Amino acid sequence: MESVWNFGAEDGVLHHHFAWLVEGLDWTAAIIDLGAIALLLIGALRFISGVAWAETRRDNAARVQGMNRERIELGRYILAGLELFIVSDIIHTALSLAMADLLFLGLLVVIRSLISYFLDRELEQLKHELHEHEGRG
């Protein structure tokens, strides 16, 4: 008897009659994963260079503002990368249809959504602080 955790895994019409489509979608999801990783790396590199530039500022307030701007930009890259990873996870789960994969996807979406929510809140706070400092300057 098949375990409930593996129910539906790779024994449906999609895998038997449209194997070429499944393989194509697997490749698509892998490309999306690579795009998300590239996006995160670009964001990290831009953050490092931006922070290095901000640290060269002699004025403490300008240095803090520069750092906050870079944190906001990095946060945008992280949020975009997380969204791409969710797309990829949905494709993988749609192809497998195993109960364990569906539960794993649900857990991933909850974790990534929580990260996105709190990161977005932090970014909004940083934006607010930046506008306050710019208003004083």
Side-chain angles (χ1 to χ4, degrees):
M1 181 168 178
E2 187 176 4
S3 167
V4 69
W5 297 109
N6 293 322
F7 178 74
E10 298 185 14
D11 61 354
V13 173
L14 196 61
H15 289 276
H16 289 298
H17 298 289
F18 297 101
W20 57 272
L21 179 61
V22 171
E23 185 173 345
L25 290 171
D26 266 338
W27 275 100
T28 301
I31 291 167
I32 291 170
D33 282 338
L34 290 173
I37 291 167
L39 198 59
L40 292 172
L41 289 174
I42 290 167
L45 291 173
R46 289 188 63 164
F47 177 75
I48 291 167
S49 67
V51 167
W53 174 255
E55 286 298 317
T56 64
R57 308 295 296 260
R58 295 212 184 269
D59 179 26
N60 192 41
R63 186 170 53 244
V64 169
Q65 285 179 343
M67 174 70 82
N68 284 345
R69 278 191 198 96
E70 296 307 320
R71 288 178 64 198
I72 290 168
E73 285 301 311
L74 178 61
R76 288 179 180 153
Y77 278 95
I78 292 171
L79 289 173
L82 286 173
E83 289 170 359
L84 284 177
F85 279 129
I86 289 173
V87 169
S88 171
D89 291 338
I90 290 170
I91 293 170
H92 283 297
T93 303
L95 294 176
S96 111
L97 293 179
M99 181 64 77
D101 289 343
L102 290 172
L103 290 174
F104 182 71
L105 174 66
L107 182 62
L108 277 178
V109 168
V110 167
I111 290 169
R112 289 180 180 163
S113 296
L114 285 171
I115 291 170
S116 294
Y117 173 77
F118 287 108
L119 183 57
D120 193 44
R121 282 186 52 186
E122 182 179 348
L123 293 178
E124 287 301 319
Q125 181 180 356
L126 285 171
K127 288 177 194 174
H128 181 71
E129 289 174 14
L130 266 177
H131 291 304
E132 281 182 0
H133 286 296
E134 289 172 354
R136 290 183 205 158

